[in-house]
Amino acid sequence: MDDIAALEKIARLIRYYILLSTTEAGSGHPTSSLSATELMTGLLFGGIFRFDLDKPNNPNNDRLIFSKGHATPLFYALWAAAGRLGEQDLKTYRKFGSVLEGHPAVAFQYTEAATGSLGQGLPIGVGEALNAKYVDRLSYRTYVLLGDSEMAEGSQWEAIQIAAHYKLDNLIGIVDVNRLGQRGETMYGWDLDAYEKRVSAFGWDTIVINGHNFKEVLGAYTKAIQVRDKPFMIIAGTIKGKGVSFLEDKNGWHGKALNREEFQTALGELGAVDMSIIGEIDKPVDQRSEKKVPVEAVAISYDKNKPFATREAYGHALKRLFPQFPDLVVLDGEVSNSTYSEIFKEAYPERFFEMYIAEQNMAGAALGFARRGKVPFVSTFAAFFTRAFDQIRMSQYSRANIKFCGSHAGVSIGEDGPSQMGLEDIAMFRTVKDCVVLYPSDAVTTEKLVEAAAGHKGMVYIRTTRMKTPILYGNDELFAIGGSKVVKRSDADTVTIIAAGVTLHESIKAYEELMKENIAVRVIDLYSIKPLDEANLREAARTSKAIITVEDHAPEGGIGEAVRSALPGTAVHSLAVRKMPKSGKPEELLLFEEISKEAIIKKVKELL
Amino acid sequence: MDDIAALEKIARLIRYYILLSTTEAGSGHPTSSLSATELMTGLLFGGIFRFDLDKPNNPNNDRLIFSKGHATPLFYALWAAAGRLGEQDLKTYRKFGSVLEGHPAVAFQYTEAATGSLGQGLPIGVGEALNAKYVDRLSYRTYVLLGDSEMAEGSQWEAIQIAAHYKLDNLIGIVDVNRLGQRGETMYGWDLDAYEKRVSAFGWDTIVINGHNFKEVLGAYTKAIQVRDKPFMIIAGTIKGKGVSFLEDKNGWHGKALNREEFQTALGELGAVDMSIIGEIDKPVDQRSEKKVPVEAVAISYDKNKPFATREAYGHALKRLFPQFPDLVVLDGEVSNSTYSEIFKEAYPERFFEMYIAEQNMAGAALGFARRGKVPFVSTFAAFFTRAFDQIRMSQYSRANIKFCGSHAGVSIGEDGPSQMGLEDIAMFRTVKDCVVLYPSDAVTTEKLVEAAAGHKGMVYIRTTRMKTPILYGNDELFAIGGSKVVKRSDADTVTIIAAGVTLHESIKAYEELMKENIAVRVIDLYSIKPLDEANLREAARTSKAIITVEDHAPEGGIGEAVRSALPGTAVHSLAVRKMPKSGKPEELLLFEEISKEAIIKKVKELL
């Protein structure tokens, strides 16, 4: 039996598994799986893919990302054909408690990244390929299976341009052009040249093939792994529902399973399936990447009398901490001179990746790095992380170890106006399950929190401020995720003011002015917004007449609501950005939005 | 004096204004403005642009969008050169209270849309061009000035592909390729061919020119307005800082104003400026688009015994309401058979726009329609609006009249798993200032709320549910933005349960089971989450022993926190999606997340 006949046998088995799992589940996407069956069978079992099935985390394994995440029936069928899932497993597909979820979940050991929101796989692949080529210097390749519908997502083109820019010859995309989207024909239908022209214009090497012809499929992969200095895209014409006559190229079958009768008819068309065969996957070569031994970072030494911007402290922290966290990589969206990640870039250019103004791809690439064991720190203006909310949201499902830093938070950025003001970022990151949200108010806190973030396994968001702010703490002060600080207090406190960032400094000014009038207030630095220091907040609620929160952020989902959620039954008065912001001096805008010391003093007096 | 000499005089005046306003402000982006001076001077004053300066809202006016929104010094200088702003106005640039903000604000009458977050202008232009070609059928053209750095944003490529797909020969993009981004060279530098190849591969007609040569600039526009069935892109090589030797093509001058001394030196280089000239702009032709007279929509008639999905009611509502709201247009992101906007599409195909899987461009195009007086209803899965958060965020600054409808909210979608579950959408839309957030629980409510949304001037978000839900209300029931309904109550209520959507139905089931045990609870349908019915909530807080909120959404920024903010001092117990969601049956997932009737009953009993 020749190689192609063997692959055809495996493909038949895979089609059987696709139909079996979806019919058992009563839902799923069999037709979108059938179209890519030869493409994936050829890759895994045609001698191209290198993977150690016993060690999915072997750093030399080729990586496979299903960007068309709805094709899980095919994805699981592949691992079944490789002997790693049985029919009983496949019958748990989409059932509560099974790791074989409707879209790939990382609870399943062969899932490279959780996908299902379209247009996300290629950016993740960019991160994995960047890691191989520039960081780990390993020869693994990253393969990304793409749907034709999802090529409409801008994130794809962000990834396509960056992959070419970084000459990622270890990244191979496979577009399954089955012509039909969810509700009808895609923008380009079967116009394979349309894809070929666009992708090659962006600097990729490409090939157009019949995606059901194993000879062409294998030829494409063989060519793909020989190309140098360019990523490679296989543009494959396929038929949705291929192999089952009443499904083939039929509209109305997207995301629908066959009933048992249809399933039997389909099996009849497939012909005899050899359940005994197991597809072979070659093991990868054994390469080792150079591992740096962590060395404790030097201590910080900020001058208490010299105001310093937290955004700048962020850059210094990255540079200082790299020896201690040698898995660190830094990505920035063309604003490294504003976020100050450029300080790191100048010190460690080989670990800094300029991702240009393409935040979706930046967040996706960070996930790729994280999945390969790196600790990516990703920075842009806080406002512009809204651009990547879908990627950020999806990252939680890949248990991502990513640190985001948003600079230029709030109206206090001043003259540039609302387009550049991050006013929703706390709310956005708070919705992400288990994502830590940190908001340092001075350079010392920033350094300590960047360190805490680097050491924390999981997603972290750090919010920094544009303007210089006074140093509040000594260089030895300790800060922890979930902590807070009482920065001002007396025995006679009546009102507690809770703030972070620029409004903490306004609160301290208010404290000082109120003291002149013999009004004592407590001021809490809520540098960890999620998780919150509930004990400290409860103590404040218990001992204060009133609680005020002050934040340079929208009232919804920010510090005020976080504190309210931590203090059920306590009346929390929230000062936040409630008026449509505009250009102006920082102090004018803080005053206008009623989050400056004047508004705090007024509110305290109202509450006395 | 020939035409070009006249344009050169105007350009010199504009350069003077650019330097004047930024030096007065002490900040801003003069160099990014200087590079595009000939491109914009040629457009406005070279006999191409048609605009009625006295009537910025004349529907026949050509539209001009500054996608590179930081080039406001140029933008304002253009209108100054047209005689509509004086030096004193320009000296208010970036000052608190001035309409001449750091990035374009719609408070300034000639601003087409608020920009400043990059990569947003072209999608807005797509909406305005779609409106001209397919809805109003007017001959105005839409011009979009683009920066080269922002071409890295995927949203640009979403817009580029859709513009070609819809053959928008009334859309003209101008890329100002000045080589330098904020922190250094762009991905392609001065490789104009790189842009030309990519844009033309996507089906645009293109021209490459020297952006400082008026003959080439005018030639490009002349060609642009003659092209048929294709959008047109002018790719202009320019010099950042052009006209001031010490700024030209120099890194480190992005977003920096000259000090007074540098300003004087620069003026010396400009030479004599004729302050008396006023650039002429031709008025547009007077065309009228056909206006339909509103006709009251037919009444609804849902069968109280027949469960009906709110997402499907949304589609029916759009179709039913079109006669009453003839400015309505409907956009969908390739899921119209899931969001049910296809019901509208089938009835009014000419007012339906398939935007494919490209949510950023869809949201931007909706803003374009809104700015031209249409009422766009935009639908996709609730989860996928996170993709367009930046566009949604920016829309508020354009006072956008856009209605978003997110289907497939929450874990109750079931087997598809977390990638498809909208769990952050309420939090996201709540952060948008003045954005109404509605969450109907049955078909009747949906119909009434879609009607309320269509009649409301401003942004509205409507959240719909995948599964069929029972009809709760009679067809004559009234609903209002900011309202709520007490759906179950007795004289003996001790606990109030506040819910909306699928959890309202769980709350009603809990009520019924608790009644069997003689435990009376009140159930409130919080169909308007923003604004909230504070009076009704306060009444509940006053008369109940405890308040419970239940929501198929993250605990942060959702119904629980909204209610807590409305009821300061009241302990509000929040049931929400707190565990990592997965695939499963809707009822299994509601149980797992502790937002089903079982969890509600348990919580009520705990609180008694």
Side-chain angles (χ1 to χ4, degrees):
Chain A
M1 191 172 71
D2 68 8
D3 289 352
I4 286 182
L7 288 173
E8 279 168 353
K9 268 182 97 167
I10 300 175
R12 205 171 305 135
L13 177 64
I14 285 175
R15 287 203 156 86
Y16 165 72
Y17 287 148
I18 288 169
L19 297 170
L20 176 79
S21 64
T22 48
T23 292
E24 278 291 329
S27 68
H29 298 77
T31 57
S32 311
S33 296
L34 292 168
S35 62
T37 297
E38 280 76 18
L39 290 168
M40 291 295 100
T41 305
L43 173 63
L44 263 75
F45 307 115
I48 303 291
F49 200 65
R50 299 275 180 275
F51 196 91
D52 183 346
L53 284 163
D54 295 323
K55 292 180 188 155
N57 268 325
N58 180 333
N60 294 298
N61 282 345
D62 284 341
R63 321 308 315 182
L64 172 61
I65 300 165
F66 263 49
S67 186
K68 50 178 291 186
H70 52 290
T72 40
L74 168 61
F75 185 63
Y76 303 137
L78 290 169
W79 304 105
R84 298 302 164 126
L85 289 172
E87 281 208 14
Q88 288 314 311
D89 299 314
L90 294 178
K91 287 180 175 174
T92 68
Y93 177 51
R94 288 178 160 250
K95 294 205 166 71
F96 185 76
S98 170
V99 297
L100 306 186
E101 295 201 28
H103 291 82
V106 293
F108 177 58
Q109 62 174 339
Y110 297 114
T111 297
E112 192 61 29
T115 51
S117 179
L118 293 170
Q120 301 210 1
L122 204 56
I124 300 167
V126 164
E128 304 215 317
L130 282 170
N131 180 66
K133 192 173 172 102
Y134 297 104
V135 179
D136 280 350
R137 297 175 196 270
L138 294 175
S139 57
Y140 72 81
R141 289 192 177 80
T142 301
Y143 296 88
V144 184
L145 177 65
L146 300 154
D148 49 353
S149 260
E150 66 169 330
M151 295 305 283
E153 285 285 14
S155 50
Q156 306 280 27
W157 300 97
E158 293 182 1
I160 287 170
Q161 69 190 346
I162 294 269
H165 178 76
Y166 279 106
K167 303 185 195 305
L168 297 179
D169 46 14
N170 54 358
L171 179 66
I172 294 123
I174 306 112
V175 196
D176 174 19
V177 186
N178 65 24
R179 191 185 75 81
L180 292 170
Q182 171 175 321
R183 48 85 259 155
E185 191 165 57
T186 62
M187 220 182 309
Y188 306 128
W190 267 327
D191 182 358
L192 303 181
D193 288 345
Y195 294 99
E196 201 281 331
K197 233 165 80 181
R198 286 158 178 76
V199 175
S200 67
F202 273 75
W204 286 48
D205 214 334
T206 56
I207 192 170
V208 172
I209 62 164
N210 172 350
H212 298 303
N213 179 318
F214 272 121
K215 205 171 148 222
E216 292 189 32
V217 169
L218 295 180
Y221 288 121
T222 306
K223 195 176 161 207
I225 62 180
Q226 285 163 356
V227 171
R228 288 291 162 267
D229 293 332
K230 279 180 169 193
F232 194 87
M233 188 74 80
I234 298 168
I235 294 149
T238 64
I239 293 168
K240 199 158 173 171
K242 174 73 179 179
V244 180
S245 62
F246 57 93
L247 299 178
E248 285 190 359
D249 196 34
K250 292 281 191 304
N251 213 352
W253 270 103
H254 181 95
K256 279 191 189 142
L258 306 191
N259 64 30
R260 292 196 183 271
E261 195 180 329
E262 291 160 342
F263 174 63
Q264 288 306 330
T265 311
L267 290 196
E269 289 195 16
L270 276 192
V273 175
D274 180 352
M275 320 287 278
S276 71
I277 46 169
I278 290 181
E280 300 269 331
I281 300 178
D282 291 336
K283 285 215 166 73
V285 292
D286 186 20
Q287 293 183 329
R288 299 288 157 94
S289 59
E290 207 191 316
K291 284 278 172 202
K292 286 211 181 73
V293 179
V295 178
E296 202 177 333
V298 296
I300 58 168
S301 59
Y302 284 90
D303 179 347
K304 196 129 192 186
N305 300 311
K306 223 169 135 187
F308 206 91
T310 55
R311 59 176 171 140
E312 195 171 349
Y314 169 75
H316 283 288
L318 291 180
K319 176 182 166 186
R320 182 177 70 83
L321 292 165
F322 181 61
Q324 189 171 331
F325 298 98
D327 286 329
L328 221 139
V329 293
V330 176
L331 290 75
D332 191 278
E334 223 272 344
V335 287
S336 56
N337 55 340
S338 288
T339 61
Y340 280 104
S341 65
E342 70 174 11
I343 296 170
F344 178 89
K345 173 188 170 185
E346 279 153 25
Y348 303 105
E350 75 285 3
R351 300 300 285 259
F352 177 89
F353 295 89
E354 177 55 69
M355 302 308 280
Y356 298 93
I357 310 183
E359 296 81 5
Q360 296 193 68
N361 178 66
M362 177 163 71
L367 177 55
F369 274 117
R371 294 294 297 171
R372 298 291 90 240
K374 301 304 164 295
V375 182
F377 275 78
V378 185
S379 48
T380 184
F381 284 22
F384 304 143
F385 276 123
T386 55
R387 202 65 163 247
F389 190 13
D390 196 29
Q391 284 75 14
I392 292 165
R393 172 184 83 85
M394 284 299 297
S395 291
Q396 69 185 308
Y397 302 124
S398 288
R399 296 182 197 141
N401 190 21
I402 306 176
K403 322 302 164 184
F404 299 92
C405 178
S407 69
H408 293 67
V411 300
S412 65
I413 66 159
E415 289 81 355
D416 269 336
S419 66
Q420 319 291 303
M421 294 170 176
L423 292 168
E424 309 80 5
D425 52 320
I426 297 176
M428 178 171 81
F429 280 101
R430 277 185 72 235
T431 65
V432 177
K433 227 166 281 304
D434 302 326
C435 180
V436 170
V437 178
L438 303 172
Y439 190 5
S441 300
D442 80 345
V444 171
T445 315
T446 308
E447 291 264 7
K448 301 297 176 85
L449 292 181
V450 172
E451 184 169 344
H456 175 81
K457 283 252 182 275
M459 290 171 75
V460 178
Y461 174 61
I462 302 167
R463 187 182 216 225
T464 65
T465 300
R466 179 170 181 269
M467 61 167 74
K468 286 190 201 310
T469 44
I471 303 289
L472 298 172
Y473 299 102
N475 289 301
D476 293 332
E477 188 82 25
L478 299 178
F479 296 82
I481 289 171
S484 69
K485 298 276 178 193
V486 178
V487 290
K488 298 288 174 191
R489 85 177 303 166
S490 76
D491 293 335
D493 298 349
T494 47
V495 175
T496 294
I497 304 162
I498 300 170
V502 67
T503 58
L504 180 68
H505 296 280
E506 294 298 313
S507 303
I508 293 170
K509 286 184 216 163
Y511 163 89
E512 281 157 3
E513 296 210 5
L514 286 164
M515 277 301 276
K516 290 178 198 157
E517 302 183 44
N518 286 318
I519 299 170
V521 293
R522 192 180 311 175
V523 178
I524 292 181
D525 174 2
L526 195 72
Y527 64 79
S528 178
I529 297 173
K530 184 180 171 183
L532 277 175
D533 186 350
E534 295 197 9
N536 204 5
L537 293 183
R538 274 199 294 266
E539 207 267 329
R542 201 175 47 76
T543 55
S544 305
K545 195 171 159 190
I547 303 270
I548 302 171
T549 59
V550 202
E551 62 193 306
D552 195 357
H553 183 276
E556 296 88 358
I559 293 175
E561 293 197 347
V563 170
R564 281 174 177 152
S565 283
L567 296 176
T570 303
V572 174
H573 304 271
S574 148
L575 302 178
V577 176
R578 292 177 195 274
K579 296 178 204 158
M580 201 55 92
K582 49 177 93 174
S583 288
K585 295 203 185 85
E587 51 273 31
E588 288 170 331
L589 295 170
L590 294 172
L591 189 70
F592 171 66
E593 297 291 353
E594 300 177 49
I595 53 173
S596 70
K597 68 169 183 189
E598 290 83 359
I600 299 168
I601 291 169
K602 186 167 162 249
K603 182 52 95 178
V604 168
K605 290 183 175 174
E606 267 174 41
L607 294 170
L608 282 178
Chain B
M1 190 173 73
D2 68 7
D3 289 353
I4 287 182
L7 288 173
E8 279 168 353
K9 268 183 96 168
I10 299 175
R12 204 171 306 134
L13 177 64
I14 285 175
R15 287 203 157 87
Y16 165 72
Y17 287 147
I18 289 169
L19 298 170
L20 175 78
S21 64
T22 49
T23 292
E24 277 291 328
S27 68
H29 298 77
T31 57
S32 309
S33 295
L34 293 168
S35 62
T37 296
E38 280 77 19
L39 290 169
M40 291 295 100
T41 304
L43 174 62
L44 263 74
F45 306 114
I48 303 290
F49 201 64
R50 299 276 180 274
F51 196 91
D52 182 347
L53 284 164
D54 295 324
K55 293 180 186 156
N57 268 326
N58 180 335
N60 294 298
N61 282 346
D62 284 342
R63 321 308 315 180
L64 173 61
I65 300 166
F66 263 49
S67 186
K68 49 178 289 187
H70 50 290
T72 39
L74 168 61
F75 185 62
Y76 302 137
L78 289 170
W79 303 105
R84 298 302 165 128
L85 289 171
E87 281 208 14
Q88 288 313 311
D89 299 313
L90 294 177
K91 286 180 176 175
T92 69
Y93 177 52
R94 289 178 158 251
K95 294 205 165 69
F96 185 75
S98 170
V99 296
L100 306 185
E101 295 202 29
H103 291 82
V106 292
F108 178 57
Q109 62 174 339
Y110 297 113
T111 297
E112 191 60 29
T115 51
S117 179
L118 292 171
Q120 300 210 2
L122 205 55
I124 300 167
V126 164
E128 304 215 315
L130 282 170
N131 180 66
K133 192 173 172 99
Y134 297 104
V135 180
D136 280 350
R137 296 174 197 271
L138 293 175
S139 57
Y140 73 80
R141 290 193 176 80
T142 300
Y143 296 88
V144 184
L145 177 65
L146 300 154
D148 50 351
S149 259
E150 66 169 331
M151 295 305 283
E153 285 285 14
S155 50
Q156 306 279 27
W157 300 95
E158 293 183 1
I160 287 169
Q161 70 190 346
I162 294 269
H165 178 76
Y166 279 107
K167 304 185 195 305
L168 297 179
D169 46 14
N170 54 359
L171 179 66
I172 294 124
I174 305 112
V175 196
D176 173 19
V177 187
N178 65 24
R179 191 184 76 83
L180 291 171
Q182 171 175 322
R183 47 85 259 153
E185 190 165 56
T186 64
M187 220 181 309
Y188 305 128
W190 268 324
D191 182 358
L192 303 182
D193 288 345
Y195 294 98
E196 201 281 331
K197 233 165 77 181
R198 286 157 178 77
V199 175
S200 65
F202 273 76
W204 286 48
D205 214 335
T206 56
I207 192 169
V208 172
I209 61 164
N210 171 351
H212 297 304
N213 179 316
F214 272 120
K215 205 171 146 223
E216 293 188 35
V217 169
L218 295 181
Y221 287 121
T222 306
K223 196 176 158 204
I225 63 179
Q226 285 161 358
V227 171
R228 289 293 162 265
D229 293 332
K230 281 180 168 193
F232 194 87
M233 188 74 80
I234 297 169
I235 294 149
T238 64
I239 294 167
K240 198 159 173 171
K242 174 74 178 179
V244 181
S245 62
F246 57 92
L247 299 178
E248 284 190 0
D249 196 35
K250 292 281 190 303
N251 213 351
W253 270 104
H254 180 94
K256 279 191 190 144
L258 305 191
N259 64 30
R260 294 198 181 270
E261 194 181 329
E262 290 160 343
F263 174 63
Q264 287 306 330
T265 312
L267 289 197
E269 289 196 18
L270 276 192
V273 175
D274 180 352
M275 321 286 277
S276 72
I277 46 169
I278 289 182
E280 300 268 331
I281 300 178
D282 291 336
K283 285 215 167 72
V285 292
D286 186 19
Q287 294 182 330
R288 299 286 157 94
S289 59
E290 207 190 318
K291 283 278 173 206
K292 285 213 182 71
V293 179
V295 178
E296 202 176 332
V298 296
I300 58 169
S301 59
Y302 284 91
D303 179 345
K304 196 128 192 186
N305 299 311
K306 224 168 134 188
F308 206 92
T310 54
R311 59 175 171 142
E312 196 171 347
Y314 169 74
H316 284 287
L318 292 179
K319 177 183 165 188
R320 183 178 69 83
L321 291 165
F322 181 60
Q324 189 171 330
F325 298 96
D327 286 329
L328 222 139
V329 293
V330 175
L331 289 75
D332 192 278
E334 223 272 345
V335 287
S336 56
N337 55 340
S338 288
T339 61
Y340 281 103
S341 65
E342 70 174 10
I343 296 170
F344 177 89
K345 173 188 170 184
E346 278 153 25
Y348 303 105
E350 75 284 4
R351 301 299 286 257
F352 178 90
F353 295 89
E354 177 56 70
M355 302 309 278
Y356 298 93
I357 310 182
E359 296 81 4
Q360 296 193 69
N361 178 67
M362 177 164 70
L367 177 55
F369 273 117
R371 294 296 295 170
R372 297 291 90 239
K374 300 304 163 298
V375 182
F377 275 78
V378 185
S379 49
T380 184
F381 285 22
F384 304 144
F385 276 124
T386 54
R387 203 64 163 248
F389 190 13
D390 195 28
Q391 284 74 15
I392 291 166
R393 172 183 83 85
M394 283 300 296
S395 291
Q396 70 185 307
Y397 302 125
S398 288
R399 296 182 197 141
N401 190 20
I402 306 176
K403 323 301 162 181
F404 299 92
C405 177
S407 69
H408 293 67
V411 300
S412 65
I413 67 158
E415 288 82 356
D416 269 336
S419 65
Q420 320 291 302
M421 295 170 175
L423 292 167
E424 309 81 5
D425 51 321
I426 297 176
M428 178 172 80
F429 281 101
R430 278 185 71 233
T431 64
V432 177
K433 226 165 283 301
D434 301 326
C435 181
V436 170
V437 178
L438 303 172
Y439 189 5
S441 300
D442 79 346
V444 171
T445 315
T446 309
E447 291 265 6
K448 301 296 175 85
L449 292 180
V450 172
E451 184 169 345
H456 174 82
K457 283 250 183 277
M459 290 171 74
V460 178
Y461 174 61
I462 302 167
R463 186 181 216 225
T464 65
T465 300
R466 179 170 180 269
M467 60 166 75
K468 286 189 201 314
T469 44
I471 303 289
L472 298 173
Y473 300 102
N475 287 301
D476 293 333
E477 187 81 25
L478 298 176
F479 295 82
I481 289 171
S484 70
K485 299 273 178 195
V486 178
V487 290
K488 297 287 174 192
R489 85 178 301 165
S490 75
D491 292 338
D493 299 350
T494 47
V495 175
T496 294
I497 305 163
I498 299 169
V502 67
T503 59
L504 179 67
H505 297 280
E506 294 298 314
S507 303
I508 293 169
K509 287 183 217 164
Y511 163 88
E512 281 156 5
E513 297 211 5
L514 287 164
M515 278 301 276
K516 291 178 199 158
E517 302 182 44
N518 287 317
I519 300 170
V521 294
R522 192 179 311 175
V523 179
I524 292 181
D525 174 1
L526 196 72
Y527 64 79
S528 179
I529 298 173
K530 184 180 171 185
L532 278 175
D533 187 351
E534 295 197 8
N536 204 6
L537 294 183
R538 274 199 295 266
E539 206 267 329
R542 200 175 47 77
T543 56
S544 305
K545 194 171 159 188
I547 302 269
I548 303 172
T549 60
V550 202
E551 62 192 307
D552 196 357
H553 183 275
E556 297 87 359
I559 293 176
E561 292 197 347
V563 170
R564 282 174 177 151
S565 284
L567 296 176
T570 303
V572 174
H573 304 272
S574 148
L575 302 178
V577 176
R578 292 177 195 274
K579 296 179 202 157
M580 201 55 92
K582 48 176 93 172
S583 288
K585 294 202 187 85
E587 51 274 31
E588 288 171 331
L589 295 170
L590 293 172
L591 189 71
F592 172 67
E593 296 292 353
E594 300 177 48
I595 53 173
S596 70
K597 67 169 184 189
E598 291 81 0
I600 298 167
I601 291 168
K602 186 168 162 247
K603 182 53 92 179
V604 167
K605 289 183 175 174
E606 267 174 41
L607 294 170
L608 283 178

